[in-house]
Amino acid sequence: MSTLTIAGFAGSFSAPSRSRALVQAAVDLAADRFGAIGHVFDLADLGPSLGHARRLGDLEPEALAHVTDLIRADALVIASPVHKGSYAGLFKHVFDLLDPDMLAGKPVLLAATGGGDRHALVIEHQLRPLFGFFEAQPLATGVYVADREFVGGKLADDAAHARLSRAVNQFAPFLAPYSLPEPAAEAAPLLQAF
């Protein structure tokens, strides 16, 4: 049996980045919970070749390695900061380079960060349709986290942690090993009479 892998991609150039911190927290939690290996990267890690790329082969080797890890992972955590009501163009460009079947069936935890609560629907109106196009399997719970829920660049809000934990648990049907049902316990004395 091979080791499970979870790739996290944050659509942010900022360092430090709240989106990357959210992705890292989700990948770490999922890796611990499911015994997986995590890999996290962001737009800055993809370098300048991303903006010029018309296909995957146009990416520099380091950028191509990150995107290849994303394609080959067993599960994904994808987050974007919200810019003017949507994700950034270069974030979308990463997915424009992929063939439509490259993410088919892959479970994806969708997340976003923004200045306030008014951006929370970006997950439902922007990210979920994007991954629906790829026939990926977005988890039921998306995680939106506002700036106020971070302290010192780390996710610090208890409610946000609870949402993140609930979303990570939804990877279970995809990542948890299938187990056989426990054998029935010995019949109770009353039932033995029948």
Side-chain angles (χ1 to χ4, degrees), residues 75-108:
L76 304 177
V77 176
I78 306 290
S80 177
V82 181
H83 296 286
K84 297 184 170 101
S86 186
Y87 44 70
L90 278 178
F91 169 85
K92 171 68 163 48
H93 187 57
V94 170
F95 299 100
D96 289 341
L97 298 175
L98 305 184
D99 288 338
D101 62 346
M102 289 180 162
L103 302 179
K106 199 173 295 286
V108 184

Short mmCIF file of all heavy atoms in Angstrom, two decimals, residues 75-108:
data_model
loop_
_atom_site.label_atom_id
_atom_site.label_comp_id
_atom_site.label_asym_id
_atom_site.label_seq_id
_atom_site.Cartn_x
_atom_site.Cartn_y
_atom_site.Cartn_z
N ALA A 75 -5.36 13.84 -2.38
CA ALA A 75 -6.35 14.83 -1.96
C ALA A 75 -5.71 16.20 -2.03
O ALA A 75 -4.49 16.34 -1.98
CB ALA A 75 -6.81 14.54 -0.53
N LEU A 76 -6.56 17.22 -2.14
CA LEU A 76 -6.08 18.60 -2.27
C LEU A 76 -6.71 19.51 -1.23
O LEU A 76 -7.87 19.32 -0.84
CB LEU A 76 -6.44 19.15 -3.66
CG LEU A 76 -5.96 18.38 -4.88
CD1 LEU A 76 -6.48 19.03 -6.14
CD2 LEU A 76 -4.44 18.31 -4.89
N VAL A 77 -5.94 20.50 -0.83
CA VAL A 77 -6.45 21.64 -0.07
C VAL A 77 -6.11 22.86 -0.91
O VAL A 77 -4.93 23.11 -1.19
CB VAL A 77 -5.79 21.75 1.33
CG1 VAL A 77 -6.27 23.00 2.04
CG2 VAL A 77 -6.09 20.51 2.16
N ILE A 78 -7.12 23.58 -1.33
CA ILE A 78 -6.93 24.73 -2.22
C ILE A 78 -7.54 25.95 -1.56
O ILE A 78 -8.71 25.94 -1.16
CB ILE A 78 -7.62 24.51 -3.58
CG1 ILE A 78 -7.17 23.21 -4.24
CG2 ILE A 78 -7.41 25.71 -4.49
CD1 ILE A 78 -5.75 23.18 -4.73
N ALA A 79 -6.74 27.02 -1.45
CA ALA A 79 -7.24 28.27 -0.87
C ALA A 79 -6.76 29.45 -1.68
O ALA A 79 -5.67 29.43 -2.25
CB ALA A 79 -6.78 28.41 0.58
N SER A 80 -7.58 30.47 -1.69
CA SER A 80 -7.22 31.70 -2.37
C SER A 80 -7.61 32.89 -1.51
O SER A 80 -8.67 32.87 -0.88
CB SER A 80 -7.96 31.80 -3.71
OG SER A 80 -7.66 33.04 -4.34
N PRO A 81 -6.77 33.91 -1.51
CA PRO A 81 -7.24 35.17 -0.94
C PRO A 81 -8.28 35.76 -1.90
O PRO A 81 -8.25 35.48 -3.10
CB PRO A 81 -5.98 36.04 -0.89
CG PRO A 81 -5.07 35.47 -1.92
CD PRO A 81 -5.40 34.00 -2.02
N VAL A 82 -9.22 36.51 -1.37
CA VAL A 82 -10.25 37.11 -2.20
C VAL A 82 -9.80 38.50 -2.62
O VAL A 82 -9.44 39.33 -1.79
CB VAL A 82 -11.59 37.19 -1.44
CG1 VAL A 82 -12.66 37.80 -2.32
CG2 VAL A 82 -12.00 35.82 -0.96
N HIS A 83 -9.80 38.74 -3.92
CA HIS A 83 -9.46 40.04 -4.49
C HIS A 83 -10.65 40.53 -5.28
O HIS A 83 -11.05 39.90 -6.26
CB HIS A 83 -8.25 39.93 -5.44
CG HIS A 83 -6.99 39.51 -4.77
ND1 HIS A 83 -6.27 40.36 -3.96
CD2 HIS A 83 -6.35 38.33 -4.78
CE1 HIS A 83 -5.21 39.71 -3.51
NE2 HIS A 83 -5.23 38.48 -3.99
N LYS A 84 -11.26 41.61 -4.83
CA LYS A 84 -12.39 42.20 -5.52
C LYS A 84 -13.47 41.18 -5.85
O LYS A 84 -13.98 41.10 -6.96
CB LYS A 84 -11.90 42.93 -6.77
CG LYS A 84 -10.96 44.08 -6.43
CD LYS A 84 -10.55 44.84 -7.66
CE LYS A 84 -9.86 46.09 -7.24
NZ LYS A 84 -8.45 46.08 -7.30
N GLY A 85 -13.79 40.35 -4.87
CA GLY A 85 -14.89 39.40 -5.01
C GLY A 85 -14.56 38.09 -5.68
O GLY A 85 -15.45 37.28 -5.91
N SER A 86 -13.28 37.85 -6.01
CA SER A 86 -12.94 36.61 -6.69
C SER A 86 -11.50 36.21 -6.37
O SER A 86 -10.80 36.91 -5.63
CB SER A 86 -13.10 36.79 -8.20
OG SER A 86 -12.90 35.56 -8.88
N TYR A 87 -11.06 35.09 -6.93
CA TYR A 87 -9.67 34.68 -6.80
C TYR A 87 -8.83 35.46 -7.80
O TYR A 87 -9.34 36.06 -8.75
CB TYR A 87 -9.52 33.17 -7.01
CG TYR A 87 -10.30 32.60 -8.17
CD1 TYR A 87 -9.95 32.88 -9.50
CD2 TYR A 87 -11.39 31.78 -7.95
CE1 TYR A 87 -10.66 32.34 -10.56
CE2 TYR A 87 -12.10 31.23 -9.00
CZ TYR A 87 -11.73 31.52 -10.31
OH TYR A 87 -12.44 31.00 -11.36
N ALA A 88 -7.52 35.42 -7.63
CA ALA A 88 -6.59 36.15 -8.49
C ALA A 88 -6.45 35.45 -9.84
O ALA A 88 -6.62 34.23 -9.96
CB ALA A 88 -5.23 36.25 -7.81
N GLY A 89 -6.12 36.22 -10.86
CA GLY A 89 -5.96 35.69 -12.20
C GLY A 89 -4.87 34.63 -12.30
O GLY A 89 -5.06 33.60 -12.98
N LEU A 90 -3.74 34.83 -11.66
CA LEU A 90 -2.67 33.83 -11.73
C LEU A 90 -3.04 32.54 -10.99
O LEU A 90 -2.60 31.46 -11.38
CB LEU A 90 -1.35 34.38 -11.21
CG LEU A 90 -0.57 35.22 -12.22
CD1 LEU A 90 0.71 35.78 -11.58
CD2 LEU A 90 -0.23 34.44 -13.47
N PHE A 91 -3.83 32.65 -9.95
CA PHE A 91 -4.35 31.46 -9.28
C PHE A 91 -5.14 30.63 -10.31
O PHE A 91 -4.92 29.43 -10.47
CB PHE A 91 -5.24 31.86 -8.11
CG PHE A 91 -6.05 30.74 -7.51
CD1 PHE A 91 -5.50 29.91 -6.55
CD2 PHE A 91 -7.36 30.54 -7.90
CE1 PHE A 91 -6.24 28.87 -6.00
CE2 PHE A 91 -8.11 29.50 -7.34
CZ PHE A 91 -7.55 28.67 -6.39
N LYS A 92 -6.06 31.27 -11.03
CA LYS A 92 -6.86 30.58 -12.04
C LYS A 92 -5.98 30.06 -13.16
O LYS A 92 -6.23 28.98 -13.71
CB LYS A 92 -7.92 31.54 -12.58
CG LYS A 92 -8.71 31.05 -13.79
CD LYS A 92 -9.62 29.90 -13.47
CE LYS A 92 -10.68 29.66 -14.51
NZ LYS A 92 -10.27 29.63 -15.90
N HIS A 93 -4.91 30.78 -13.50
CA HIS A 93 -4.04 30.38 -14.61
C HIS A 93 -3.39 29.02 -14.33
O HIS A 93 -3.18 28.24 -15.26
CB HIS A 93 -2.98 31.45 -14.88
CG HIS A 93 -2.17 31.17 -16.10
ND1 HIS A 93 -2.72 30.99 -17.35
CD2 HIS A 93 -0.83 31.01 -16.25
CE1 HIS A 93 -1.76 30.74 -18.22
NE2 HIS A 93 -0.60 30.74 -17.58
N VAL A 94 -3.09 28.73 -13.08
CA VAL A 94 -2.53 27.42 -12.74
C VAL A 94 -3.49 26.33 -13.22
O VAL A 94 -3.08 25.34 -13.84
CB VAL A 94 -2.30 27.29 -11.21
CG1 VAL A 94 -1.95 25.85 -10.83
CG2 VAL A 94 -1.21 28.24 -10.76
N PHE A 95 -4.78 26.50 -12.98
CA PHE A 95 -5.76 25.50 -13.37
C PHE A 95 -6.07 25.53 -14.86
O PHE A 95 -6.45 24.52 -15.45
CB PHE A 95 -7.01 25.63 -12.50
CG PHE A 95 -6.68 25.41 -11.06
CD1 PHE A 95 -6.51 26.48 -10.19
CD2 PHE A 95 -6.47 24.13 -10.57
CE1 PHE A 95 -6.16 26.27 -8.87
CE2 PHE A 95 -6.11 23.91 -9.26
CZ PHE A 95 -5.95 24.98 -8.40
N ASP A 96 -5.85 26.69 -15.49
CA ASP A 96 -6.01 26.77 -16.94
C ASP A 96 -4.98 25.90 -17.66
O ASP A 96 -5.21 25.47 -18.79
CB ASP A 96 -5.86 28.22 -17.42
CG ASP A 96 -7.03 29.09 -17.03
OD1 ASP A 96 -8.11 28.55 -16.72
OD2 ASP A 96 -6.86 30.33 -17.02
N LEU A 97 -3.87 25.62 -17.04
CA LEU A 97 -2.82 24.79 -17.65
C LEU A 97 -3.13 23.29 -17.58
O LEU A 97 -2.47 22.49 -18.24
CB LEU A 97 -1.47 25.05 -16.96
CG LEU A 97 -0.93 26.48 -17.04
CD1 LEU A 97 0.34 26.60 -16.22
CD2 LEU A 97 -0.68 26.88 -18.49
N LEU A 98 -4.11 22.91 -16.78
CA LEU A 98 -4.41 21.49 -16.57
C LEU A 98 -5.44 20.98 -17.57
O LEU A 98 -6.37 21.69 -17.93
CB LEU A 98 -4.94 21.26 -15.15
CG LEU A 98 -4.07 21.75 -13.99
CD1 LEU A 98 -4.71 21.36 -12.67
CD2 LEU A 98 -2.66 21.21 -14.09
N ASP A 99 -5.27 19.73 -17.98
CA ASP A 99 -6.29 19.08 -18.79
C ASP A 99 -7.52 18.84 -17.91
O ASP A 99 -7.37 18.59 -16.70
CB ASP A 99 -5.79 17.74 -19.32
CG ASP A 99 -4.74 17.91 -20.41
OD1 ASP A 99 -4.71 18.98 -21.05
OD2 ASP A 99 -3.96 16.97 -20.63
N PRO A 100 -8.71 18.87 -18.49
CA PRO A 100 -9.92 18.72 -17.69
C PRO A 100 -10.00 17.45 -16.85
O PRO A 100 -10.65 17.44 -15.82
CB PRO A 100 -11.04 18.76 -18.73
CG PRO A 100 -10.47 19.55 -19.86
CD PRO A 100 -9.01 19.20 -19.89
N ASP A 101 -9.34 16.37 -17.26
CA ASP A 101 -9.45 15.12 -16.51
C ASP A 101 -8.39 14.93 -15.44
O ASP A 101 -8.40 13.94 -14.72
CB ASP A 101 -9.44 13.92 -17.47
CG ASP A 101 -8.13 13.82 -18.25
OD1 ASP A 101 -7.35 14.79 -18.26
OD2 ASP A 101 -7.89 12.75 -18.84
N MET A 102 -7.49 15.88 -15.28
CA MET A 102 -6.37 15.71 -14.36
C MET A 102 -6.77 15.72 -12.88
O MET A 102 -6.03 15.25 -12.03
CB MET A 102 -5.28 16.76 -14.60
CG MET A 102 -4.52 16.54 -15.87
SD MET A 102 -3.26 17.80 -16.08
CE MET A 102 -2.22 17.00 -17.30
N LEU A 103 -7.91 16.29 -12.56
CA LEU A 103 -8.37 16.34 -11.17
C LEU A 103 -9.65 15.55 -10.95
O LEU A 103 -10.23 15.59 -9.86
CB LEU A 103 -8.58 17.80 -10.73
CG LEU A 103 -7.36 18.72 -10.85
CD1 LEU A 103 -7.73 20.14 -10.41
CD2 LEU A 103 -6.18 18.20 -10.06
N ALA A 104 -10.08 14.80 -11.95
CA ALA A 104 -11.35 14.07 -11.87
C ALA A 104 -11.35 13.11 -10.68
O ALA A 104 -10.41 12.34 -10.49
CB ALA A 104 -11.60 13.31 -13.16
N GLY A 105 -12.40 13.20 -9.87
CA GLY A 105 -12.58 12.31 -8.74
C GLY A 105 -11.76 12.64 -7.51
O GLY A 105 -11.90 11.99 -6.48
N LYS A 106 -10.91 13.63 -7.59
CA LYS A 106 -10.01 13.97 -6.48
C LYS A 106 -10.75 14.78 -5.42
O LYS A 106 -11.39 15.78 -5.73
CB LYS A 106 -8.83 14.77 -7.03
CG LYS A 106 -7.63 14.80 -6.12
CD LYS A 106 -6.45 15.47 -6.80
CE LYS A 106 -5.93 14.73 -7.99
NZ LYS A 106 -5.17 13.53 -7.70
N PRO A 107 -10.69 14.38 -4.14
CA PRO A 107 -11.33 15.17 -3.09
C PRO A 107 -10.57 16.48 -2.85
O PRO A 107 -9.33 16.48 -2.81
CB PRO A 107 -11.26 14.26 -1.86
CG PRO A 107 -10.09 13.37 -2.11
CD PRO A 107 -10.02 13.18 -3.59
N VAL A 108 -11.32 17.56 -2.71
CA VAL A 108 -10.72 18.89 -2.58
C VAL A 108 -11.39 19.65 -1.44
O VAL A 108 -12.61 19.83 -1.44
CB VAL A 108 -10.87 19.72 -3.88
CG1 VAL A 108 -10.15 21.06 -3.75
CG2 VAL A 108 -10.36 18.95 -5.09
#
